[in-house]
Amino acid sequence: MSLTVVGTMAFDEIETPFGKSGRIIGGSATYIAWAASNFVTPINQVSVIGGDFPESELAALKAKGVAMDGVQVKKDEKTFYWSGKYHMDMNTRDSLATDLNVLADFQPVIPESYQGSEFLILGNLTPQVQMSVIDQLKERPKLIVMDTMNFWMEVALDDLLKVLKRVDVLMVNDSEARQLSGEYSLVKAARKILTMGPRYLIIKKGEHGALLFHENHVFFAPAMPLDDVFDPTGAGDTFAGGFIGYLAKTRDISFENMKTAIIVGSAMASFCVEQFGTGRIREVSKEEIHSRIDQFVQLVNFDIDLV
Ligand code: AMP
């Protein structure tokens, strides 16, 4: 069993009401790989970085079972850079800068060693790159999950709609679901998006949890109520990594198992927000993960006697 992860490996600069991060490591594929590697290895990473990306970061991920054969290094260019600012409401943020740099003309090449991967997650990046990866796989994976964001809906909607037709699960946040569907009601938005290609839709609502839609079924997972949310950056990707990591580990892609996978994703995301960047998820232990998942079970567990 193996998992292929496509996405950005980045430098981020984040400002929250609690402080500034300075330049730190981020990127959708970075967060996904850190989260998923707690459940499944090897992870086949597909991304692109510049000569300025630290060797030590690649080494740390490799030590967690993440293969880097599909990560292109463009020595003379700069790594993708993103900066964002959160206000008091940490569910919304402003992107201050998105410098594509190496991402602008990235043509992914899937190494032979990645072929036959059963699970594929297309993390947030250029839809054209997401499509190219699907096209290069000789055998269709058992499950293809796709994440995206408003930025790509604005600059590459046609390509994004084409990728949507090829995937099983789409993950977006609530405002992106509204933007993509043109519907305010999330139920109506989901119904519309489920006609665009994916059979499953996950709508993330930040500290208000996540919804899973499939045919006429809906499942809701709360987010862990935490004392402090320090930095929400990467929470969506960490959620995605926990979700697909758990599905790949159990090799069960039923709706029932996806419910559990969403709880696992929510538990992983709850660690991510406790520190800036990847600080917390790179050191979290198996015991801490298990105990957080237990807390989730307690959070939603209740008895009822209908009179
Ligand atoms: P999340 O908070 O889960 O949405 O993910 C935040 C991460 O996404 C950051 O580490 C950024 O480097 C990365 N990111 C921000 N904008 C983009 C974009 N347009 N495409 C791909 N990755 C992005």
Side-chain angles (χ1 to χ4, degrees), residues 8 10-12 25-28 31 80-82 86 93 95 98 100 103 124-126 147 149 151-152 204 232-238:
T8 48
F11 284 122
D12 287 352
I25 298 293
S28 52
Y31 284 102
F80 174 73
Y81 169 83
W82 175 78
Y86 296 85
R93 71 178 172 214
S95 284
T98 301
L100 297 180
L103 197 62
N124 183 22
L125 88 176
T126 329
D147 189 9
M149 76 187 281
F151 182 81
W152 302 113
K204 299 169 287 180
T233 307
D237 305 312
T238 305

